Amino acid sequence: MDVFSAASPRGLSLEQIMERWEARWGEPYNRRSFFNHRAAILDIFDVEIKCNRSKNLYYIDVEELESNKSKASWLINSFTVNNLLALSKEGLAGRVSVENVPSGQKWLSSIMNSMLGSEELEISYLKYTGEPLQKRTILPYAVKETAKRWYLIGQDQELKALRVYGLDRIHSIKATGKHFRLPEDFDVDFLFKNSYGAYITDSKDLKHIVLKATEKEAKYLRDLPLHHSQKEPEPGIFTLDLSVTEDFVMELLSRGNRLEVLEPMELRYRIRFEFIKAAEIYKNT
């Protein structure tokens, strides 16, 4: 897709795409390869390379991509930035900074290849709790990125249940050669729709949360909502409907005195208790 990274908003002709490919990669590019790649991009990333039939120009509708909140938008944005950095390394040296996501570098490619081939994986995994290294057999259903960490979501064959594994805690991965069928109704976004972060939660745990933000913090929340359910019924008051997980508690704590939990009371008490414990650490300062 890097041939589109600096494309005209109007699109590119097939001849222009071929020229850019050949200039970028130094090898010929033919019509069949383009249409094969076009179909693969739609299948893998759910991104359609459209064609303006009247002018025979090919393009990606960026506004539609953003409005649909495509699952691939983060990957595409990252790919575009990294591609531009590679092309402009000398010209932009010392002028562009991007954050590193270590957990995505080692295993992500292998996992996504197994996902495409619906192939079972054997992983060795070490929890943060310090338990011994575990060997797990996983049907890789999906991957998810949140808070600079990548996660594997799959059916654990030993536990007969869906589980989430942080890629940075995986010590080895091996494809078994056995294949599986992905459930037709599986949707990773639906799986986490009531969650914050990478926790699989029960819909019974759903809570109606009311937050009060300072004037400045409210501006941040409007630009970058905490959750897709976020609403602002009145200025500075935000509501969310989700399950309260450790990740969500940590996010609220990170906002300090800029964000106050009004409801539910058990969450308000939990945040208060955590702040009191933190203040105890510094009481002798």
Side-chain angles (χ1 to χ4, degrees), residues 39-105:
I41 289 169
L42 178 61
D43 182 48
I44 297 170
F45 296 107
D46 194 25
V47 174
E48 181 181 7
I49 299 176
K50 298 183 176 182
C51 180
N52 182 335
R53 295 294 181 186
S54 64
K55 298 180 180 180
N56 284 323
L57 295 178
Y58 294 90
Y59 66 97
I60 294 175
D61 190 329
V62 177
E63 290 185 1
E64 180 182 289
L65 197 68
E66 292 178 349
S67 65
N68 291 339
K69 297 183 179 178
S70 166
K71 301 172 189 176
S73 60
W74 186 90
L75 289 171
I76 293 167
N77 289 337
S78 298
F79 176 86
T80 302
V81 169
N82 288 325
N83 182 57
L84 291 174
L85 287 174
L87 292 175
S88 310
K89 190 172 182 179
E90 294 182 6
L92 296 179
R95 298 171 60 190
V96 179
S97 176
V98 293
E99 292 191 358
N100 185 27
V101 185
S103 64
Q105 295 177 358

Side-chain angles (χ1 to χ4, degrees), residues 60 103 158 201 217 245 271:
I60 294 175
S103 64
E158 285 77 22
T201 59
E217 191 67 17
T245 61
I271 297 299

Side-chain angles (χ1 to χ4, degrees), residues 213-227 230 232 236 238 251 255 258-259:
T214 62
E215 183 177 352
K216 185 176 180 180
E217 191 67 17
K219 295 177 181 178
Y220 285 111
L221 291 176
R222 291 178 193 123
D223 288 343
L224 189 61
L226 288 173
H227 190 255
Q230 179 178 303
E232 188 177 5
F238 295 86
E251 178 62 33
R255 306 280 173 148
R258 305 183 305 277
L259 199 62

Side-chain angles (χ1 to χ4, degrees), residues 3-274:
V3 294
F4 290 94
S5 62
S8 163
R10 295 182 298 274
L12 297 172
S13 68
L14 185 54
E15 291 70 24
Q16 289 173 315
I17 293 170
M18 290 176 177
E19 289 172 2
R20 292 192 179 206
W21 178 280
E22 292 172 13
R24 175 70 176 88
W25 301 106
E27 59 182 33
Y29 193 59
N30 57 45
R31 179 183 295 269
R32 175 178 292 181
S33 294
F34 169 69
F35 285 106
N36 287 340
H37 289 164
R38 185 185 180 197
I41 289 169
L42 178 61
D43 182 48
I44 297 170
F45 296 107
D46 194 25
V47 174
E48 181 181 7
I49 299 176
K50 298 183 176 182
C51 180
N52 182 335
R53 295 294 181 186
S54 64
K55 298 180 180 180
N56 284 323
L57 295 178
Y58 294 90
Y59 66 97
I60 294 175
D61 190 329
V62 177
E63 290 185 1
E64 180 182 289
L65 197 68
E66 292 178 349
S67 65
N68 291 339
K69 297 183 179 178
S70 166
K71 301 172 189 176
S73 60
W74 186 90
L75 289 171
I76 293 167
N77 289 337
S78 298
F79 176 86
T80 302
V81 169
N82 288 325
N83 182 57
L84 291 174
L85 287 174
L87 292 175
S88 310
K89 190 172 182 179
E90 294 182 6
L92 296 179
R95 298 171 60 190
V96 179
S97 176
V98 293
E99 292 191 358
N100 185 27
V101 185
S103 64
Q105 295 177 358
K106 193 171 184 181
W107 308 119
L108 192 57
S109 179
S110 297
I111 291 172
M112 293 186 75
N113 281 331
S114 293
M115 286 166 55
L116 287 170
S118 298
E119 190 173 14
E120 182 185 78
L121 291 173
E122 286 183 357
I123 69 170
S124 57
Y125 188 80
L126 184 63
K127 291 185 176 181
Y128 278 114
T129 53
E131 297 177 14
L133 198 67
Q134 300 178 357
K135 298 287 185 180
R136 318 300 303 176
T137 305
I138 308 295
L139 307 185
Y141 284 1
V143 290
K144 177 180 175 63
E145 186 271 340
T146 183
K148 293 176 59 178
R149 295 185 70 196
W150 279 96
Y151 296 87
L152 165 64
I153 299 95
Q155 180 77 6
D156 186 304
Q157 293 294 77
E158 285 77 22
L159 298 176
K160 303 298 180 185
L162 276 177
R163 287 293 184 269
V164 178
Y165 297 94
L167 266 60
D168 50 354
R169 307 304 297 165
I170 294 177
H171 284 238
S172 67
I173 285 181
K174 182 179 72 174
T176 67
K178 298 179 181 179
H179 294 273
F180 66 92
R181 185 182 295 275
L182 182 71
E184 293 183 3
D185 60 348
F186 180 82
D187 184 316
V188 67
D189 289 332
F190 182 81
L191 182 66
F192 291 98
K193 74 171 186 173
N194 296 327
S195 303
Y196 184 90
Y199 284 82
I200 297 175
T201 59
D202 193 321
S203 59
K204 297 176 184 176
D205 297 329
L206 202 64
K207 302 291 184 184
H208 182 68
I209 297 161
V210 182
L211 306 173
K212 181 180 179 181
T214 62
E215 183 177 352
K216 185 176 180 180
E217 191 67 17
K219 295 177 181 178
Y220 285 111
L221 291 176
R222 291 178 193 123
D223 288 343
L224 189 61
L226 288 173
H227 190 255
H228 66 81
S229 66
Q230 179 178 303
K231 297 177 182 177
E232 188 177 5
E234 56 183 282
I237 302 297
F238 295 86
T239 65
L240 306 94
D241 295 286
L242 51 73
S243 297
V244 177
T245 61
E246 288 299 314
D247 282 1
F248 185 62
V249 170
M250 293 300 294
E251 178 62 33
L252 294 178
L253 291 169
S254 73
R255 306 280 173 148
N257 63 355
R258 305 183 305 277
L259 199 62
E260 178 186 357
V261 177
L262 301 181
E263 298 177 24
M265 289 307 295
E266 60 264 31
L267 178 59
R268 181 179 174 88
Y269 290 143
R270 168 76 185 277
I271 297 299
R272 179 179 182 273
F273 178 67
E274 294 295 341

